[in-house]
Amino acid sequence: MTGAESTAAAPVVARVPVLNAANALTALRLMLVPVFGVSVILSGMTHAGWRIAACLIFAVASATDLVDGWIARRFGLVTSVGKVADPIADKALTGAALVLLSWYDRLPWWVTAVILARELGITALRFWVIRHGVIAASRGGKIKTALQILAIAWYLWPMPAALAAVGPWIMGAAVVVTVLTGFDYIAQALRLRRPTP
Ligand SMILES: O=P(O)(O)OC[C@H](O)CO
């Protein structure tokens, strides 16, 4: 085989570094989780100023979810590590928020339990099938996360009772989409594990 032939037969595949801007934003989201948690605890869900601070920190952390995905796709920085870490960082943030809202009696515990069971279950599922392929976040999964974020922000921000009454409806929609997308991922995982004929 000549040198020219060997070059043509072996296309150059650029390796995407794991330490890139998109994954750094995902890591930032994880690091903001304890900062957010402390601000909710300082608010005790009664102090308006700390509640606003907690909501703003939550919003900034949530915004990194939009930006990291966009950067990864726009600049070709999509990595398997990022595909797995991104949903985990989302779950850490929303999970912490839901537990704290229930802890302060703002949200029924069953809501937090249902959402956490789905989120932890799907994370375990992702690791269970990882040898067969990566289950990346689906469009439904992104809508689910957006609904959860909106609902949590609604609960965090101090607002008049008439507006606050909308919060449970948004959270209800989030619960429904959370459960339905969970079933969709289970179907994907079973397809990945199915032996190829
Ligand atoms: O539904 P998941 O588990 O894929 O999570 C979706 C991500 O949070 C979207 O960024």
Side-chain angles (χ1 to χ4, degrees), residues 131-153:
R131 275 188 304 120
H132 305 269
V134 172
I135 302 182
S138 64
R139 187 179 292 267
K142 289 177 185 160
I143 293 171
K144 173 259 335 182
T145 302
L147 277 171
Q148 288 181 2
I149 289 170
L150 178 64
I152 291 167

Side-chain angles (χ1 to χ4, degrees), residues 71-172:
I71 289 180
R73 285 185 297 275
R74 174 73 178 77
F75 298 102
L77 297 175
V78 176
T79 61
S80 295
V81 170
K83 283 186 194 174
V84 174
D86 174 66
I88 290 178
D90 294 347
K91 292 167 197 343
L93 179 66
T94 51
L98 293 169
V99 167
L100 285 165
L101 285 174
S102 291
W103 181 262
Y104 286 106
D105 278 337
R106 300 302 167 122
L107 186 66
W109 275 107
W110 72 263
V111 172
T112 295
V114 167
I115 294 180
L116 285 188
R118 182 280 197 197
E119 302 298 359
L120 295 176
I122 296 305
T123 301
L125 197 71
R126 282 194 161 102
F127 284 108
W128 184 56
V129 300
I130 199 126
R131 275 188 304 120
H132 305 269
V134 172
I135 302 182
S138 64
R139 187 179 292 267
K142 289 177 185 160
I143 293 171
K144 173 259 335 182
T145 302
L147 277 171
Q148 288 181 2
I149 289 170
L150 178 64
I152 291 167
W154 206 279
Y155 277 79
L156 287 171
W157 194 271
M159 56 176 80
L163 262 182
V166 179
W169 291 97
I170 306 172
M171 189 60 85

Side-chain angles (χ1 to χ4, degrees), residues 36-47:
F36 163 72
V38 168
S39 58
V40 175
I41 291 167
L42 286 173
S43 82
M45 285 305 287
T46 52
H47 188 285

